C-alpha cells in the first residue's frame, strides 16, 4: 500500500495511491494510515492534486554518518555507535515544495536518505528483531544541511533544523523490504549520490533499538537512516531529486529567500 | 497571571492559579492559555490536585553554555554565538513526576534553567527588541543530562533527550521581568547551583532572534536559556528542586528503572 497526503480544491486528505503508473489515482481514506484502510469513495487523478508530506511527525530523529563512504568524505571514520540528532517538525515539507535558503547562510547541501515511518503505537525499548512490528512503512527524505552552521556550532541542530530543510515523500510504501535498495540523488538531472541501503552501517532494527532505549517514538514519527557519499551544495533555482528503489522519487526546488 | 495544567479526579485541565500562598486555588480555564482568560467556574484547592507540565510544547529548544561559569566548569570558554539543541516533546514531565534513569546510563546531572514559553502565534525571524510580543511567560526547567552519553556522542541529543529528562513547571508566570532573577538548585535540600539570570551571556531577545532566524517556534514551544555553574549528578532516591525568583520551585524525584 502507498499512503500519501494531498492538497485538493476542498482541503487536504490522507489517501492511498493506486492505478497505473501513468494514471495514478488518489483514493481518500476514512481511516488513519495506522489502520486497515477504509475509503470515503472520493478519488482524484494524482496529476490533478498536490502531494504533501505523507505524514506529520512530532519529531524527525536522524542518524549521522551511517554510510562509511559518506563519513570518509566528511573527513573521518564512521563512529562505532549510531549518533543521533533531531530535525524539528517545523522543518518538514512535501514533494515539489521549495527548499528555502535564507541569504547569507553559505553552503547548503542535499543528503538523500531512506526514512522509516513509525506505526500507530508509541515505541519504547524496542528490540531490533521486533522492528517490523513498529514500522508503518518507508518514505524518502532529504536531510538538507547548512554545512557552515553545522561546522561552526559543533551541534548539528541549527544547520539541519531550518524551516523547509526536511523534504519528505512522495508517499509511504508499507510493503517494502528496506535491504538492498538503490538510492540516487540528482541535482538538475546530474547524478550526485549513487548508494545502496545494503551499505547502512547500522541497520533499521539496530537504529530503532538504539533510539528507543531512551526516547519514545510516537505514531508517525520519522527516522532518517543516513546518507551515502556524494553530498554537495545546491543553489537558487536548482532542482534536487532523491530516488529510492521500490518507493519513488522526491523532488524539490531550491530558492534563495 | 500563573497558568498551570492539573490532573484531577475527572481528567486534566488548564487552570489559573490564585489565592493565598498557603491556600492556592486552581480555577479551570474555558479559554486557551494564549487568550484573555475566561473561566468555567470549576475550582480546586491546589493541594488536592496534581500539577502537570504547564504546557505541551511541540519542541523544546535549548541553549548550551549560556553562563560563563558553567562553560568553564565544563572545561572551556563559552562559545561566542549561541549553540542550540533540541529536547523532544517526549522528554517533558511535570512537577513531582519522576526522573527515570535507566540502568547502566552512568552519571545523570541536574541543570536548573529559566524557560521561555512561546505565545499563541508562530514566531519566525523575530527581532530581539520585539521578544516580549512573542512570549507568553516563563517557567522553570531541569535540563537533565546523561553526561557520559553527551560526551561519547559529541551530539547532545541522545544524552539530553531521554523520556522524563525535561521536567517543566510548576506553572507559567506571565507577569515577570526575566532580568536579575536568582536561580537555585538543591539536591536533597543541599544548595548546588546559585546563579542569577543577569549572568546570561545571550539574553532572552537575542536567543529568540537567533533561533527564529531559521526555525519557526510554534505556540507553546519552550526555550531553555542555559544553566549556571554547579551542575552535578543525581542518583536513585534523591530529590532535586530548581527555584527561580518570581516563579516558584520545580521539584522532582529521581529513580533508577
Amino acid at each position: 500500500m502507498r499512503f500519501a497526503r494531498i492538497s485538493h480544491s476542498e482541503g487536504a486528505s490522507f489517501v492511498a495511491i493506486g492505478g497505473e503508473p501513468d494514471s495514478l489515482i488518489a483514493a481518500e481514506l476514512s481511516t488513519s494510515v495506522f489502520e486497515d484502510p477504509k475509503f470515503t469513495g472520493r478519488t482524484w487523478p494524482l496529476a490533478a492534486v498536490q502531494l504533501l508530506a505523507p505524514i506529520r511527525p512530532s519529531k524527525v530523529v536522524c542518524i549521522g554518518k551511517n554510510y562509511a563512504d559518506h563519513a570518509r568524505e566528511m573527513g573521518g571514520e564512521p563512529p562505532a555507535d549510531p549518533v543521533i540528532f533531531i530535525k524539528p517538525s517545523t522543518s518538514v515539507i512535501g514533494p515539489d515544495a521549495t527548499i528555502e535558503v535564507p541569504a547569507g547562510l553559505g553552503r547548503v547541501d542535499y543528503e538523500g536518505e531512506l526514512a522509516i515511518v513509525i506505526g500507530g503505537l508509541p515505541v519504547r525499548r524496542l528490540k531490533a528483531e521486533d522492528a517490523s512490528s513498529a514500522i508503518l512503512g518507508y518514505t524518502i527524505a532529504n536531510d538538507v544541511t547548512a554545512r557552515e552552521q553545522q561546522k561552526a556550532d559543533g551541534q548539528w541542530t541549527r544547520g539541519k533544523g531550518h524551516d523547509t530543510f526536511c523534504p519528505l515523500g512522495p508517499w509511504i510504501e508499507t510493503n517494502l523490504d528496506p535491504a538492498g535498495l538503490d538510492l540516487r540523488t540528482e541535482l538538475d538531472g546530474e547524478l550526485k549520490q549513487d548508494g545502496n541501503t545494503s551499505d547502512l552501517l547500522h541497520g533499521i532494527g539496530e537504529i530503532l533499538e538504539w533510539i528507543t532505549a531512551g526516547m519514545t517514538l510516537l505514531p508517525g514519527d520519522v527516522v532518517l537512516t543516513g546518507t551515502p557519499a556524494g553530498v554537495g551544495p545546491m543553489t537558487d533555482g536548482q532542482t534536487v531529486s532523491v530516488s529510492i528503489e521500490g518507493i519513488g522519487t522526491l523532488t524539490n526546488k531550491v530558492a534563495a529567500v
Side-chain angles (χ1 to χ4, degrees), chain A:
Chain A
M1 184 74 69
R2 286 180 167 174
F3 289 129
R5 198 162 58 97
I6 62 168
S7 168
H8 50 75
S9 58
E10 292 161 77
S13 300
F14 282 95
V15 297
I17 305 292
E20 298 303 309
D22 59 350
S23 60
L24 291 172
I25 299 294
E28 187 179 46
L29 294 166
S30 63
T31 44
S32 82
V33 296
F34 304 120
E35 302 166 90
D36 281 339
K38 294 193 175 63
F39 297 92
T40 66
R42 288 210 294 182
T43 64
W44 297 265
L46 192 60
V49 297
Q50 176 58 52
L51 286 164
L52 304 172
I55 196 78
R56 303 181 72 174
S58 80
K59 59 181 172 289
V60 178
V61 183
C62 312
I63 308 292
K65 299 181 181 171
N66 199 23
Y67 290 81
D69 57 357
H70 171 62
R72 291 192 192 108
E73 78 179 349
M74 296 303 287
E77 289 301 304
D81 290 320
V83 172
I84 70 169
F85 61 94
I86 289 174
K87 289 171 92 92
S89 64
T90 38
S91 67
V92 173
I93 60 172
D96 306 318
T98 300
I99 298 165
E100 297 183 353
V101 178
L105 195 55
R107 175 176 158 169
V108 173
D109 282 12
Y110 54 81
E111 294 190 357
E113 309 202 6
L114 176 69
I116 306 163
V117 182
I118 297 298
L121 294 173
V123 183
R124 193 175 179 211
R125 298 191 188 170
L126 185 76
K127 292 292 164 204
E129 59 265 31
D130 301 326
S132 62
S133 69
I135 296 171
L136 171 64
Y138 298 89
T139 189
I140 303 169
N142 191 337
D143 175 18
V144 179
T145 302
R147 200 63 77 192
E148 291 159 32
Q149 285 191 344
Q150 182 189 24
K151 288 179 182 166
D153 289 10
Q155 299 303 305
W156 302 344
T157 305
R158 187 169 63 119
K160 289 173 173 280
H162 287 254
D163 294 354
T164 78
F165 274 26
C166 189
L168 292 178
W171 39 60
I172 301 164
E173 174 60 69
T174 63
N175 184 23
L176 183 73
D177 179 347
L181 303 178
D182 287 333
L183 186 167
R184 293 194 177 89
T185 303
E186 294 185 357
L187 188 66
D188 284 347
E190 184 181 340
L191 185 64
K192 294 291 189 178
Q193 294 187 285
D194 187 6
N196 188 287
T197 59
S198 62
D199 294 323
L200 283 171
L201 295 171
H202 306 286
I204 304 297
E206 183 188 352
I207 287 170
L208 294 186
E209 179 170 329
W210 184 261
I211 294 168
T212 66
M215 182 187 294
T216 296
L217 292 171
L218 296 178
D221 277 355
V222 169
V223 175
L224 307 194
T225 58
T227 198
V231 303
M234 309 179 288
T235 55
D236 183 49
Q238 290 193 299
T239 298
V240 61
S241 291
V242 185
S243 299
I244 298 182
E245 191 181 357
I247 305 178
T249 298
L250 170 68
T251 299
N252 298 87
K253 279 269 195 191
V254 180
V257 296

